[in-house]
Amino acid sequence: MSVKSLFSWVLVGNALAVVLALVIYHHGGRDHFGERGFITFLSTFQLLAIAWLSDKTAQIRRTSPKTDNRQSALLWRIIAWGFIFLAADEFLALHEVTDHFIHDIFNIQETSLTDSIDDFIVLLYGIFGAWILWINRFELKSHKQAIALLKRAFVLLFFMIVLDFLANGQKLLELFLDPAAANTLQFHIYHLEDSLKVFIEALLIVAFYSIFRTVQSQQKRLEHSQRASQPEQAFTHR
């Protein structure tokens, strides 16, 4: 499948999932953006898909005879494990559990500010991911299409974190709106934030698929070149 086709399928699939979740909720059904809703399962699956693509890229790099390619295999393996952790975090809400744990262990009274500890943890995830990619930017320099998608994903990620902060800060919203309007807006922001999350993952899936396809193509050309040179070497030895 081409990168363009995958982008269309993933984008449409995520859009349909978000619309379906909103329709179900606004018709009195379950909030599927919440815990164990199908949006959570979709998000977990997409994070695991990114991990799988990263691992496939690592496997190709590891089998390459070039030393630098074998070193870059470690990078992709680290990225794969990182997304497996994010999938576990998404499914088990580990950053939210950590938020509650910090409140309990330090006996902190929950406020709109301290309630954003989980948002800060997600921000740290994003900063760490951006840092890893930056210090290994040599690995991405030939993947211009993926770089463009990754940039969009990180912009949306930090916008999502801002929205998440607002969703947790009803008192902040009440400085500008009456309590009822603030509560309604807070819930809409919550749905928008979770919708952005799956679209960010969609961009990452396409970006990492593009990288995988390019690395796979490079490896095939290298193997073809080596096979083509072997008969010439054998003829020379004769």
Side-chain angles (χ1 to χ4, degrees), residues 83-227:
F83 277 101
I84 289 173
F85 169 78
L86 291 177
D89 185 313
E90 175 66 17
F91 190 73
L92 301 173
L94 296 179
H95 62 282
E96 295 176 11
V97 172
T98 304
D99 185 339
H100 296 309
F101 177 74
I102 291 173
H103 278 90
D104 291 340
I105 196 170
F106 293 106
N107 196 25
I108 301 173
Q109 183 178 357
E110 190 167 317
T111 65
S112 58
L113 181 61
T114 63
D115 194 39
S116 296
I117 291 175
D118 59 330
D119 303 332
F120 181 70
I121 293 171
V122 175
L123 176 62
L124 289 179
Y125 290 166
I127 292 173
F128 181 72
W131 176 72
I132 287 292
L133 292 177
W134 174 253
I135 63 174
N136 293 282
R137 56 191 180 277
F138 67 89
E139 177 68 15
L140 299 174
K141 64 182 181 181
S142 62
H143 305 285
K144 294 182 179 179
Q145 188 177 34
I147 290 174
L149 291 166
L150 288 170
K151 286 180 179 178
R152 292 184 179 92
F154 276 106
V155 169
L156 288 178
L157 173 64
F158 292 114
F159 180 57
M160 183 195 76
I161 292 169
V162 172
L163 288 177
D164 205 0
F165 177 79
L166 290 174
N168 286 332
Q170 186 172 345
K171 290 183 178 179
L172 177 63
L173 295 175
E174 288 177 1
L175 294 175
F176 308 96
L177 302 168
D178 63 80
N183 184 64
T184 301
L185 179 59
Q186 183 185 36
F187 208 74
H188 287 314
I189 291 174
Y190 159 69
H191 281 162
L192 176 59
E193 177 259 324
D194 261 19
S195 300
L196 279 176
K197 177 176 62 181
V198 294
F199 285 113
I200 291 168
E201 293 161 0
L203 289 173
L204 292 175
I205 286 174
V206 179
F208 281 82
Y209 179 75
S210 173
I211 292 170
F212 165 69
R213 282 285 303 271
T214 302
V215 170
Q216 186 183 51
S217 177
Q218 290 172 347
Q219 181 67 11
K220 286 181 178 178
R221 285 198 299 269
L222 178 62
E223 291 174 353
H224 178 74
S225 162
Q226 288 176 336
R227 284 196 298 268

